[in-house]
Amino acid sequence: MRRLEPLRCLCVLPSFAGGGAERVTLLLAEALAAQGIASSLVVVDGNGPLAPAVPRSLSVKVLHRRRLRHALPALAQHILSERPDILFSSLDYVTAALAGLLLPFRRRPRLVAREANLPSLAYASAGLSRWMRFAYGRCDLVIASSRRMAEELRAHYRVCERRLMLLPNPVDVSALRRHAHAQPSPAPDGLTDDFCVGDARCFVASGRLVSQKGFDRLLACWPHMHPCDRLILLGDGPGREGLMRQAEALGVARRVHFAGFVDNPWAWYARADAVLLASRFEGMPNVALEALACGAPVIATPESGGIGELADEAAPGDVAVVPMGEPYIAAMQAVSVRHACGPSASRLPSVHAMEVVAAALATRLKALASG
């Protein structure tokens, strides 16, 4: 029988934190609406730097709880009242909570989980690995952002082929490039837009200041860089004070600028001579995708998830994948000054275009709901 009402997808977020998983969820929720799927959001804590970026077209329910575990009764009640066809999660601990929460449901929505990190590195402990194996076993569809991730989910997390989807991370290239034309703000430590001229190289790294992102490893490389080279760190997090102390101890504090969370990181990417990823683990890093869309080359560690596949898709030289340490330092030292005062031609492979990704996901969700 033909469905008379549009498919309803409820996306679950713990907050509007500025991470890649949250950004992708907001992008996909808005894009699915254009594909005929009625998307809405339920958020445990409505605070976070991405709150102003939530599309006005999306219905948002805020549960006003500080922790996910405290919100589970209210979340269950909201799911029961809304009766969505699809529950979508892009954060592992949210997926695990939903898998358990849905157990007593007599008629439950389809659970769709998008994995944000490479499982072999993100779930190193046996206990966490077992818990995620249970969670993925309860999912109707698991989305992997790289072939490497898909292979691990099949081999170690018992996700069979019919419940697995390989889906590139989406990038709204046009929107990013519009933002990238603006002047970078805020300018840290008096640094202004003139950092894109002269012989000094400017490198940009972006992400939450946590161990996963490896900014401590990046700082350890900086004493080996030319005294004129500058590093801009975009993002905030619990590791900020420790990283600032490390920069002081290494004698590079004057050449490393902590910009904090910025609403428009793309203006910085567009003007960087290279965007750096020093991650200890990732899925498919959105920073790399967005930097390429803004025309900047990328240097990344092999641990950065599916970055090797991205390097294969991109033009030669656009993405360098090198181990942290001397090879990484050599790759940075080989970077040329671009003198870019705005976005140059996009280097991003077309498979990551928002329209392409959203259409593929919408087709799979509709088939899942009708199956």
Side-chain angles (χ1 to χ4, degrees):
M1 181 180 294
R2 184 176 179 182
R3 187 186 182 93
L4 298 179
E5 295 181 352
L7 190 69
R8 290 181 297 169
C9 178
L10 179 62
C11 301
V12 184
L13 283 175
S15 71
F16 291 122
E22 290 86 354
R23 287 186 186 275
V24 168
T25 298
L26 294 179
L27 281 173
L28 287 175
E30 183 179 26
L32 287 174
Q35 298 290 330
I37 295 178
S39 298
S40 59
L41 295 172
V42 58
V43 187
V44 173
D45 180 352
N47 296 311
L50 288 182
V54 176
R56 295 183 178 180
S57 60
L58 291 179
S59 170
V60 180
K61 170 68 175 179
V62 180
L63 301 180
H64 299 290
R65 304 293 196 279
R66 295 298 301 273
R67 296 287 186 268
L68 176 60
R69 63 179 179 270
H70 301 149
L72 292 179
L75 179 57
Q77 185 58 46
H78 184 70
I79 294 170
L80 286 169
S81 64
E82 291 295 306
R83 299 179 64 186
D85 301 289
I86 302 288
L87 269 182
F88 181 90
S89 166
S90 195
L91 288 156
D92 49 16
Y93 67 96
V94 176
T95 297
L98 291 174
L101 190 67
L102 294 177
L103 283 174
F105 278 50
R106 296 183 62 184
R107 181 183 179 276
R108 70 174 183 86
R110 305 284 191 175
L111 180 56
V112 175
R114 173 186 168 272
E115 175 55 67
N117 292 305
L118 198 64
S120 63
L121 298 176
Y123 312 132
S125 72
L128 185 55
S129 183
R130 283 194 299 270
W131 185 232
M132 292 311 301
R133 190 174 292 113
F134 158 78
Y136 288 131
R138 300 291 300 172
C139 291
D140 298 282
L141 182 66
V142 180
I143 296 171
S145 59
S146 70
R147 293 187 298 275
R148 180 182 176 186
M149 183 187 294
E151 290 167 2
E152 290 192 4
L153 289 167
R154 276 192 295 263
H156 305 297
Y157 292 86
R158 303 172 186 169
V159 181
C160 62
E161 196 65 41
R162 65 177 178 81
R163 294 191 298 113
L164 186 61
M165 181 183 188
L166 180 59
L167 186 75
N169 281 7
V171 179
D172 190 341
V173 176
S174 298
L176 295 193
R177 291 179 64 80
R178 284 196 301 271
H179 290 301
H181 280 284
Q183 293 298 331
S185 176
D189 301 343
L191 193 66
T192 61
D193 60 318
D194 64 358
F195 77 93
C196 63
V197 299
D199 294 328
R201 289 177 297 193
C202 183
F203 297 86
V204 171
S206 178
R208 272 182 56 76
L209 304 185
V210 294
S211 176
Q212 174 194 350
K213 301 301 180 181
F215 294 128
D216 57 317
R217 305 200 293 177
L218 193 55
L219 289 179
C221 295
W222 220 251
H224 303 281
M225 299 298 292
H226 192 279
C228 291
D229 292 336
R230 283 171 281 189
L231 174 62
I232 313 296
L233 291 180
L234 308 179
D236 214 336
R240 181 186 179 101
E241 293 301 321
L243 291 171
M244 294 181 75
R245 288 195 298 270
Q246 181 186 4
E248 288 282 357
L250 291 171
V252 297
R254 291 181 177 274
R255 297 190 279 134
V256 178
H257 305 272
F258 290 83
F261 179 86
V262 297
D263 293 326
N264 184 4
W266 311 292
W268 289 101
Y269 300 164
R271 290 159 175 80
D273 294 309
V275 172
L276 309 176
L277 284 91
S279 303
R280 290 182 166 91
F281 62 90
E282 291 281 356
M284 177 61 78
N286 291 305
V287 169
L289 301 175
E290 294 174 358
L292 293 175
C294 294
V298 171
I299 303 174
T301 57
E303 301 96 319
S304 298
I307 195 73
E309 295 169 32
L310 180 61
D312 292 340
E313 296 169 351
D318 286 352
V319 181
V321 183
V322 289
M324 184 53 65
E326 291 184 5
Y328 202 95
I329 293 168
M332 291 191 293
Q333 290 173 338
V335 168
S336 299
V337 178
R338 295 198 307 131
H339 298 297
C341 292
S344 52
S346 174
R347 303 168 186 244
L348 183 70
S350 60
V351 294
H352 294 278
M354 171 58 72
E355 300 79 9
V356 176
V357 175
L361 179 57
T363 298
R364 188 65 181 265
L365 294 184
K366 291 173 183 177
L368 179 64
S370 62

